[in-house]
Amino acid sequence: VMDLKIIPDGKVLVTACMDGIVRFFDASSGAIIREQPAHQNAAQKLAVSQDGQLLATAGEDLWVRVWRISDGKEMASFGLNGELNALFFADDGRTLIAHESLNDQLTFWSVPDQVEVMRLNSLPKGSSVVMSPGSRTIAIQNGTFIRLLRGAP
């Protein structure tokens, strides 16, 4: 297991696995609910929208895919330049944000429109990135400093 998330209702646990399959488990019984092929190689990162409707997966195949959780339908896909440090949805459930480690950049995608809407380049090497609840601030940490970006999309 490379990553795991709990769907916001607390009933389902999702895992990203080395075999490229995303597995859904009943959180109370541990029983497998569904196995979904997601990537050619390892599925490495997961993100779940705040409303629990969408799941994003990032794989070793350098693709990010967005799935509707209810039926497993692929809703969007985006190519990557390198491995990810972080993947998360903004609270609007429409914007997906990826922190790529190869070029230390943040990429913002509109899931419904399936387009890149913004890119922040030149983050310091080895940065950690998190988004505040409400999606209004992104914090970038590297070594001894923290940079806050307010008014994030």
Side-chain angles (χ1 to χ4, degrees), residues 81-93:
N81 294 314
E83 195 171 309
L84 289 184
N85 284 341
L87 181 67
F88 46 94
F89 279 95
D91 286 352
D92 67 6

Side-chain angles (χ1 to χ4, degrees), residues 59-130:
E60 197 174 74
D61 57 6
L62 301 181
W63 282 96
V64 172
R65 293 186 170 86
V66 181
W67 314 89
R68 189 167 47 211
I69 291 174
S70 62
D71 61 6
K73 180 181 180 190
E74 186 173 336
M75 305 301 290
S77 61
F78 306 100
L80 296 169
N81 294 314
E83 195 171 309
L84 289 184
N85 284 341
L87 181 67
F88 46 94
F89 279 95
D91 286 352
D92 67 6
R94 300 170 43 90
T95 306
L96 184 63
I97 303 153
H99 176 214
E100 294 184 57
S101 56
L102 176 67
N103 47 15
D104 282 304
Q105 69 184 19
L106 281 179
T107 306
F108 297 73
W109 293 296
S110 168
V111 172
D113 299 326
Q114 298 189 39
V115 296
E116 180 180 312
V117 293
M118 187 169 83
R119 183 176 296 196
L120 297 175
N121 293 308
S122 303
L123 297 179
K125 291 278 183 216
S127 296
S128 296
V129 178
V130 295

Side-chain angles (χ1 to χ4, degrees), residues 10-85:
K11 296 178 182 176
V12 177
L13 172 75
V14 184
T15 61
C17 300
M18 299 262 321
D19 59 5
I21 295 176
V22 173
R23 291 178 173 86
F24 295 78
F25 296 87
D26 180 289
S28 61
S29 71
I32 292 178
I33 298 169
R34 180 171 81 227
E35 293 185 321
Q36 181 171 322
H39 296 277
Q40 292 176 0
N41 300 314
Q44 297 175 312
K45 298 281 184 195
L46 299 171
V48 178
S49 62
Q50 293 287 332
D51 64 7
Q53 300 297 308
L54 297 176
L55 172 72
T57 64
E60 197 174 74
D61 57 6
L62 301 181
W63 282 96
V64 172
R65 293 186 170 86
V66 181
W67 314 89
R68 189 167 47 211
I69 291 174
S70 62
D71 61 6
K73 180 181 180 190
E74 186 173 336
M75 305 301 290
S77 61
F78 306 100
L80 296 169
N81 294 314
E83 195 171 309
L84 289 184
N85 284 341

